[in-house]
Structures are given as structure tokens and as C-alpha cells.
């Protein structure tokens, strides 16, 4: 009910703004997922269709110093009730001056430089029903102050209200087995999802190098999953601990070379660990005397917990090829292979995009899971190879 009242108030505010001062854009996307095998859990769906919409409203005044941004999102999914969901990605007011910037409301902040995973990106919660790759994020209530100085930019965050990670439902696919049951969610903090988190980040460009140092104190965005019983079924119960996380991200550009590093130290009462991802991207420009560029991506993924890690990427290598045609249709493709150094498990993925005319975009994503019998971290996805086709209309 509170969300409905808030949405109604926002719509009234938008309607009241002068029509000529409001700019709208966004997209409506049709998505089909084709699965190549029967699911490991017979309750999971087969091929699956969904439709999503994400309009974006922007309004500024005071010669661009103040602005309001509103980005709602909604998806209707054929097979998974949990994937049928709505979210306010952004609903914020911003004030910009030479020395500082304010952002207050619901917003999204991205930190990170590596290709395979974004370890330092902790402000927003993952919207995992959208995609298993954890790239999509939920909107986060925040007050953000950015101090802009010659020696760098300092971003200070107060984050009231925690948002639980979304997980696929019983019918959802791909998903972990046993499934995650959100009704069993618990917290270390007595304030539960009302805990106020704090974060800060310093970033600066030094010659060809971009560097960021970050700190976060609050409720971990990644839950600890423990086996439990729910209505006679073995499931996973999410537990969110209070953590302190220190992070480092560095990107160095030297000619055709792009060197990247992300590293974190996470300290909690229940789990402590260090993670790092680093590597390079080398670009061959104008291959075969054409306008196309081909990039070679290599990264190493490390987790100090080793085989006890709850992630599949604790001692792995990513090797990838990025093709950019630099044509009028903005055609690009990325083929990546993540290989576990301890066994014969592979995650092979392909992402490709191409504009069609001025308003349409075709996107293809394919994932192949080659799982070693001893690899428990990817065992749930062994039967979930899929091809995803999206057609989006952008306005």
C-alpha cells in the first residue's frame, strides 16, 4: 500500500510539471529464453517468454543545476511468479555545483572496472531474477554528497533501508537447487531491513590511471545461504550479516592495453574473506583493414576461501573476445569462457547486440554450463544451457 501511494504521488508530481520541461525516453522489450535440456527440478519451467518496460523521465531547472529523475521498471514473466515484479530504479533530486553535488532519493550507483564480476559494487542490491550474471540492480534509497576537489572526488553515502536480493521462484530457471526461500530471511541486525548503512569512496585520475578507494559499513548485499526446511521441503534460508568492506579499483590505459583490478576485504562476524579480480584487455584496431576492432580479454578471479567459497569463481580464469564493428548499427559481440583451475568446469557465454533502424535493438545472449561432477558450485546449472533473444523498442 505504501508503494502504491508513493507511486501515485510521483505520477501526480510528474503530471504537474510543464510539458515542455520534461523529457521522456525508455524502452519496451520482448524476451524469449529457449532452454536446451529438461530442468533438473521438474517444477521449473521450460522455454519462457517475458515483457519488460523501463520509461525514464528527466526534468531540470536553475540552468541545469537542479534536476529530477524518475525511472520505474516492470517485468511480466510467463513462467516464474517471482520474476514478475516492479521496481523504482531511480526517483531522485540532484543539485550540481562546481565544488559539490547532492543526490537525495532512490538512485543507482555503479563502481567497478573488471569484466567478469564487480567486487567493489556494493551500494545497490542485485536484482537476481533479471539475470543470473548479477548485472541488474535494484534502486537504493540514499543521500549522497560528492565533494569535488583537485586531488579527487569524495562520495559520501547514507543508505537508509535495506533491500533484499531477489531470487527466482519455484518455477524459475536458471536457479540454485535447493531453491532460496525468501520467507525464511533473517538478519544479524536487530533493526533487520531498517538498518542505516554508511559508505564512502575516493576516486581520482592520475595520468593514464583511474583509481578508487571505497569503504562500506552495513548489511551485506550478499546473503549467507543455509539449508532449512519449509513446508516439508529442503530450501536455502538467506541470512544477512553486518559487514565492513574495504575496496580498491584501478584501471590503467596504455595504448592498446587496458589493465584492470578490483579487490575487496570483507570483515563480518560470520564470514570473512578477501577477493580479487584482475587482468587486461588488448585491442587490435582496424582488423583486416576494416573499421572493426577486436579485443582480447583475460582476467583471473580469486577468493581466499578457496573451495569453501559460496561463489563459483574462487580460482578461475576468464578468456574472452570482444568484437566491435563500429558500424551504423552499433554491432558488438562478446564471447567469454570462465575456466575453473581445480576441475573441468566451464562457463561459456555469448552476448551480441545490433540496432535495427532508429528505434529497435536486437540482443542475443547464450550460456553453456559444462560442469565437472566434483564441482558443487555450478551443479545446479548443469541442465540450464539457454539461448535468450530480446527485441527492444527504444523511444
Amino acid at each position: 500500500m505504501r508503494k502504491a501511494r508513493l507511486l501515485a504521488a510521483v505520477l501526480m508530481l510528474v503530471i504537474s510539471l510543464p510539458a515542455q520541461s520534461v523529457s521522456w525516453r525508455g524502452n519496451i522489450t520482448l524476451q524469449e529464453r529457449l532452454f536446451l535440456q529438461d530442468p533438473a527440478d521438474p517444477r521449473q519451467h521450460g522455454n519462457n517468454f517475458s515483457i519488460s518496460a523501463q520509461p525514464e523521465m528527466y526534468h531540470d531547472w536553475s540552468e541545469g543545476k537542479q534536476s529530477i529523475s524518475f525511472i520505474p521498471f516492470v517485468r511480466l514473466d510467463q513462467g516464474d511468479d517471482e520474476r514478475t515484479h516492479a521496481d523504482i530504479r531511480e526517483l531522485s533530486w540532484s543539485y550540481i555545483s562546481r565544488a559539490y553535488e547532492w543526490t537525495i532519493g532512490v538512485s543507482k550507483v555503479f563502481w567497478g572496472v573488471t569484466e567478469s564480476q564487480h567486487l567493489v559494487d556494493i551500494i545497490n542490491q542485485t536484482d537476481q531474477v533479471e539475470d543470473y550474471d548479477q548485472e541488474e540492480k535494484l534502486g537504493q534509497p540514499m543521500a549522497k554528497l560528492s565533494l569535488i576537489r583537485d586531488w579527487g572526488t569524495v562520495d559520501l553515502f547514507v543508505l537508509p533501508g535495506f533491500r533484499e536480493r531477489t531470487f527466482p521462484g519455484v518455477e524459475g530457471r536458471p536457479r540454485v537447487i535447493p531453491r532460496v526461500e525468501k520467507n525464511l530471511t533473517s538478519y544479524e541486525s536487530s533493526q533487520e531491513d531498517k538498518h542505516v548503512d554508511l559508505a564512502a569512496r575516493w576516486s581520482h585520475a592520475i595520468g593514464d590511471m583511474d583509481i578508487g578507494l571505497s569503504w562500506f559499513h552495513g548489511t551485506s548485499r550478499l546473503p549467507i545461504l543455509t539449508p532449512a526446511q519449509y513446508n516439508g521441503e529442503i530450501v536455502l534460508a538467506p541470512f544477512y550479516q553486518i559487514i565492513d568492506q574495504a575496496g580498491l579499483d584501478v584501471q590503467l590505459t596504455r595504448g592498446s592495453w587496458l589493465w584492470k583490478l578490483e579487490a575487496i576485504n570483507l570483515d563480518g562476524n560470520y564470514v570473512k574473506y578477501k577477493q580479487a579480480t584482475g587482468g587486461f584487455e588488448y585491442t587490435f584496431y582496424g582488423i583486416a583493414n576494416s573499421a572493426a576492432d577486436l579485443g582480447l580479454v583475460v582476467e583471473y578471479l580469486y577468493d581466499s576461501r578457496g573451495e569453501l567459497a559460496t561463489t563459483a569463481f574462487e580460482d578461475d580464469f576468464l578468456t574472452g573476445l570482444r568484437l566491435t564493428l563500429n558500424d551504423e548499427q552499433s554491432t558488438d559481440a562478446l564471447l567469454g569462457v570462465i575456466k575453473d583451475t581445480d576441475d573441468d568446469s566451464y562457463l561459456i557465454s555469448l552476448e551480441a547486440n545490433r540496432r535495427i533502424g532508429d528505434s529497435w535493438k536486437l540482443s542475443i545472449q547464450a550460456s553453456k554450463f559444462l560442469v565437472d561432477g566434483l564441482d558443487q558450485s555450478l551443479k545446479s546449472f548443469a541442465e540450464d544451457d539457454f539461448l535468450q533473444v530480446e527485441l527492444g523498442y527504444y523511444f
Side-chain angles (χ1 to χ4, degrees):
M1 183 62 71
R2 284 191 305 172
K3 288 184 178 180
R5 288 199 295 266
L6 174 61
L7 183 58
V10 171
L11 291 175
M12 290 299 296
L13 173 63
V14 171
I15 293 172
S16 67
L17 295 173
Q20 66 272 17
S21 68
V22 176
S23 61
W24 284 94
R25 64 179 184 179
N27 64 84
I28 299 173
T29 301
L30 307 177
Q31 180 190 95
E32 178 72 18
R33 282 182 174 174
L34 304 173
F35 289 90
L36 307 184
Q37 293 109 355
D38 293 331
D41 184 337
R43 297 175 297 177
Q44 292 177 280
H45 59 64
N47 296 340
N48 192 64
F49 175 79
S50 68
I51 182 171
S52 67
Q54 181 171 284
E56 301 179 15
M57 185 279 292
Y58 179 81
H59 168 65
D60 67 65
W61 67 99
S62 298
E63 298 180 341
K65 292 182 179 180
Q66 299 190 65
S67 63
I68 292 176
S69 178
F70 176 45
I71 306 176
F73 172 83
V74 62
R75 180 179 296 279
L76 301 176
D77 190 87
Q78 174 190 10
D80 184 5
D81 291 341
E82 292 296 327
R83 199 164 184 252
T84 293
H85 70 301
D87 181 47
I88 296 179
R89 300 301 203 211
E90 190 162 329
L91 174 56
S92 62
W93 164 83
S94 296
Y95 179 85
I96 301 174
S97 74
R98 280 190 172 183
Y100 65 91
E101 298 179 8
W102 273 106
T103 299
I104 297 176
V106 176
S107 191
K108 291 173 67 176
V109 173
F110 173 75
W111 299 343
V113 294
T114 55
E115 183 67 43
S116 53
Q117 58 181 347
H118 304 300
L119 300 176
V120 299
D121 191 30
I122 194 172
I123 295 297
N124 292 84
Q125 178 60 279
T126 298
D127 191 359
Q128 199 159 316
V129 296
E130 278 300 297
D131 208 335
Y132 74 94
D133 64 6
Q134 303 185 17
E135 292 289 330
E136 296 297 328
K137 301 290 182 175
L138 299 171
Q140 170 64 45
M142 68 176 65
K144 173 190 173 187
L145 172 62
S146 297
L147 304 175
I148 305 168
R149 302 292 185 266
D150 293 337
W151 42 264
T153 299
V154 176
D155 296 320
L156 304 173
F157 297 85
V158 177
L159 307 168
F162 173 76
R163 303 203 62 189
E164 294 180 24
R165 179 169 295 210
T166 61
F167 290 99
V170 176
E171 302 89 355
R173 190 179 182 195
R175 67 162 168 81
V176 295
I177 299 174
R179 65 181 180 85
V180 178
E181 177 49 65
K182 65 180 183 179
N183 289 320
L184 299 181
T185 299
S186 60
Y187 298 84
E188 178 181 359
S189 171
S190 60
Q191 297 173 298
E192 298 186 334
D193 60 351
K194 303 300 189 297
H195 187 274
V196 178
D197 302 336
L198 302 173
R201 183 173 186 263
W202 169 79
S203 58
H204 193 42
I206 305 172
D208 296 330
M209 181 174 66
D210 297 307
I211 185 170
L213 293 172
S214 56
W215 168 83
F216 172 88
H217 171 78
T219 305
S220 175
R221 273 43 180 165
L222 179 63
I224 300 171
L225 301 176
T226 56
Q229 275 205 345
Y230 184 77
N231 292 336
E233 177 187 1
I234 300 297
V235 296
L236 297 175
F239 172 74
Y240 293 94
Q241 68 170 339
I242 297 295
I243 63 167
D244 287 282
Q245 177 177 304
L248 166 70
D249 59 276
V250 181
Q251 181 168 283
L252 175 64
T253 305
R254 286 290 171 85
S256 299
W257 293 89
L258 191 61
W259 295 90
K260 305 177 182 182
L261 172 68
E262 290 188 37
I264 62 169
N265 180 77
L266 187 146
D267 188 5
N269 290 325
Y270 296 85
V271 176
K272 308 173 188 285
Y273 56 86
K274 297 176 175 62
Q275 286 181 291
T277 300
F280 66 86
E281 180 169 354
Y282 183 85
T283 302
F284 300 90
Y285 294 100
I287 57 173
N289 295 320
S290 69
D293 302 329
L294 181 66
L296 171 65
V297 182
V298 177
E299 290 181 356
Y300 174 64
L301 299 77
Y302 166 79
D303 190 310
S304 63
R305 294 169 292 177
E307 292 299 321
L308 298 178
T310 55
T311 173
F313 310 126
E314 82 289 346
D315 186 16
D316 300 57
F317 275 98
L318 162 71
T319 304
L321 292 174
R322 187 195 312 275
L323 177 65
T324 306
L325 294 188
N326 295 313
D327 58 353
E328 186 178 351
Q329 292 76 33
S330 300
T331 307
D332 63 78
L334 175 63
L335 174 65
V337 179
I338 297 180
K339 168 67 170 66
D340 194 309
T341 62
D342 295 325
D343 52 48
D344 288 328
S345 289
Y346 295 83
L347 169 56
I348 305 172
S349 62
L350 172 67
E351 298 177 9
N353 303 279
R354 182 178 175 87
R355 283 205 341 260
I356 303 173
D358 295 329
S359 303
W360 296 88
K361 180 180 178 181
L362 178 66
S363 300
I364 295 175
Q365 178 182 342
S367 292
K368 174 71 176 178
F369 302 92
L370 298 174
V371 183
D372 186 288
L374 299 176
D375 186 356
Q376 297 299 314
S377 61
L378 286 176
K379 186 178 180 180
S380 297
F381 306 108
E383 309 300 325
D384 284 338
D385 301 342
F386 70 89
L387 171 66
Q388 175 177 293
V389 180
E390 284 189 344
L391 181 62
Y393 174 73
Y394 289 78
F395 55 87

